[in-house]
Amino acid sequence: MATQTKTDANTKTSAHVKGDTFSNEAPNTHSGEGNLLSILWRYVTESIPDKSPNQALPIQKMQLNPTADATPMLYKISHSTVLLQLNGQYWLTDPVFSKRASPSQMFGPKRFHELPIELDNIPALAGIILSHDHYDHLDKHSILALAERTQKFIVPLGVDKHLLAWGVPASKIVALDWWQATQHAGLSFTATPAQHFSGRGISDKNQTLWASWVIQSPELKLFFSGDSGYFSGFKTIGDKLGPFDLTLIETGAYDEMWADIHMQPEQSLRAHLDLRGRHLIPIHNSSFDLALHSWYEPLERISVAAKAYCVPLLTPEFGQGINLSDLAHSPALNHAWWKTYLPKDRTVFEIIPARMSSDKL
């Protein structure tokens, strides 16, 4: 009980709390809930082709050593679940190994590809980094399965209350406000702003914080966006903590009706440039049907935008290992694996200049 009281006190002293809930830096940020009836009507009436693939997507089965070695590596497992091998330790971001990103495994968005590695085969972890508490980022089943083999959970303020309620020891949890930092296993982690929202039910909206993360090893500096709409905070992060060797940027589950809290692909590219990133990996796509676009549209559009702005884009297959010490020669550089699975009558995307201009957003 003492730990819970201390957590609540830290939450209330955050500069990002208004009343009893967390808020974004930009006023009047809308999550789309005001358009809920219109959104539901579109889901019922609109026919969106290719919302999920009609054949199995490629994966590369992962076989990890029980103990990480010194080579810095990255593996995209699913959606925003990424395994990092840094400083001789394993780390996971937003681990979701359940079949559905939902409060129930009976309904809700179902993963439409195999996992490259099963939950039971994940080795001991130095830590898990969480961006926020939505079901496609915080999966209770995965957290409970990994808790005993995870040294630290590094989370935004308030998300620790979920973990504590599930039985994760308080000694394993570090909860941070934006711009706060912690160190573990030779790495530095800084919670940085994002423009999003939180909640796992109808009565707990914005009672926990959402964050992006700066992850720094002795050799590399990475940025993990979590979920976010495009906002001026990316430039602030880039100015304060950039440049970055690699950015992992949300690119998927977007729509004009909730544009404040999920970026269009061209905005994802703009965010990468604002951050002063070098190489870009688009995440948050090709796993779950969470929006009203085709499953391949995010990758098609981000690849067009990256080409137009000469950004080195890494698009690995699920499970494909990327050597972070040699990004320029990665086999995933511009590996457009999804094009093999495109329908012949697909839309051809072009760069949208308005979406790439920060003064238009």
Side-chain angles (χ1 to χ4, degrees):
M1 185 64 67
T3 300
Q4 187 69 52
T5 301
K6 182 177 180 181
T7 299
D8 290 343
N10 289 341
T11 297
K12 291 179 179 178
T13 59
S14 169
H16 313 296
V17 170
K18 292 183 179 179
D20 293 327
T21 59
F22 287 97
S23 62
N24 287 293
E25 292 182 334
N28 303 317
T29 301
H30 299 290
S31 64
E33 63 180 8
N35 299 322
L36 184 58
L37 291 179
S38 297
I39 292 170
L40 291 174
W41 178 251
R42 287 182 62 198
Y43 268 97
V44 171
T45 60
E46 287 191 21
S47 177
I48 308 296
D50 307 310
K51 288 190 73 183
S52 59
N54 58 14
Q55 55 186 310
L57 296 183
I59 64 166
Q60 296 189 22
K61 287 293 186 180
M62 296 166 57
Q63 293 183 337
L64 298 173
N65 294 325
T67 302
D69 63 38
T71 305
M73 296 290 295
L74 178 148
Y75 303 85
K76 184 179 176 181
I77 294 176
S78 172
H79 198 54
S80 294
T81 303
V82 175
L83 186 137
L84 299 168
Q85 180 175 271
L86 295 172
N87 206 34
Q89 300 277 352
Y90 291 122
W91 297 82
L92 273 177
T93 65
D94 289 355
V96 177
F97 287 83
S98 293
K99 290 183 179 180
R100 296 183 186 271
S102 170
S104 170
Q105 292 303 294
M106 299 295 292
F107 59 86
K110 185 178 180 180
R111 183 183 292 102
F112 45 66
H113 64 83
E114 291 185 35
L115 288 170
I117 187 170
E118 295 300 326
L119 188 56
D120 289 345
N121 295 326
I122 296 294
L125 301 170
I128 288 174
I129 306 106
L130 297 174
S131 63
H132 63 297
D133 70 0
H134 286 158
Y135 285 96
D136 58 324
H137 296 263
L138 177 58
D139 174 33
K140 180 179 178 180
H141 170 71
S142 298
I143 294 297
L144 292 179
L146 294 167
E148 287 191 3
R149 52 190 137 138
T150 302
Q151 296 174 23
K152 288 291 179 183
F153 292 84
I154 302 175
V155 307
L157 281 180
V159 176
D160 51 326
K161 290 186 284 187
H162 293 305
L163 305 187
L164 290 167
W166 299 340
V168 177
S171 60
K172 287 191 171 189
I173 306 171
V174 178
L176 301 178
D177 201 351
W178 292 342
W179 302 114
Q180 290 182 336
T182 189
Q183 292 78 40
H184 183 66
L187 272 61
S188 172
F189 301 87
T190 304
T192 43
Q195 185 167 286
H196 201 55
F197 71 111
S198 66
R200 293 173 71 81
I202 60 174
S203 62
D204 65 341
K205 182 180 177 182
N206 294 346
Q207 292 182 13
T208 67
L209 187 60
W210 47 96
S212 56
W213 291 94
V214 173
I215 304 168
Q216 189 167 4
S217 75
E219 301 85 17
L220 294 163
K221 189 182 291 184
L222 314 179
F223 178 82
F224 171 61
S225 73
D227 281 2
S228 182
Y230 180 82
F231 74 129
S232 61
F234 290 120
K235 186 176 187 306
T236 302
I237 296 166
D239 289 344
K240 286 187 175 182
L241 300 175
F244 295 95
D245 300 289
L246 175 69
T247 67
L248 299 157
I249 302 284
E250 173 216 287
T251 313
Y254 48 79
D255 192 272
E256 293 287 355
M257 298 189 78
W258 52 87
D260 283 358
I261 49 91
H262 281 296
M263 291 181 279
Q264 300 276 336
E266 297 78 18
Q267 294 173 315
S268 299
L269 197 283
R270 178 73 260 170
H272 170 82
L273 296 173
D274 288 352
L275 289 159
R276 297 194 291 151
R278 175 59 176 161
H279 294 83
L280 165 63
I281 294 182
I283 57 173
H284 205 259
N285 57 69
S286 309
S287 289
F288 298 107
D289 173 11
L290 298 172
L292 293 161
H293 56 66
S294 63
W295 71 269
Y296 54 80
E297 181 183 305
L299 293 175
E300 283 281 271
R301 286 174 61 178
I302 193 68
S303 64
V304 171
K307 183 177 181 180
Y309 283 78
C310 300
V311 169
L313 186 71
L314 293 156
T315 52
E317 295 180 7
F318 294 111
Q320 182 178 3
I322 295 177
N323 186 332
L324 297 178
S325 64
D326 193 18
L327 287 169
H329 297 98
S330 170
L333 190 66
N334 293 319
H335 171 45
W337 59 266
W338 67 92
K339 289 189 178 294
T340 303
Y341 303 84
L342 295 179
K344 293 182 179 180
D345 58 349
R346 71 187 185 279
T347 300
V348 177
F349 297 101
E350 298 179 357
I351 189 68
I352 306 175
R355 291 257 173 242
M356 287 300 302
S357 176
S358 59
D359 61 1
K360 297 283 187 180
L361 299 168

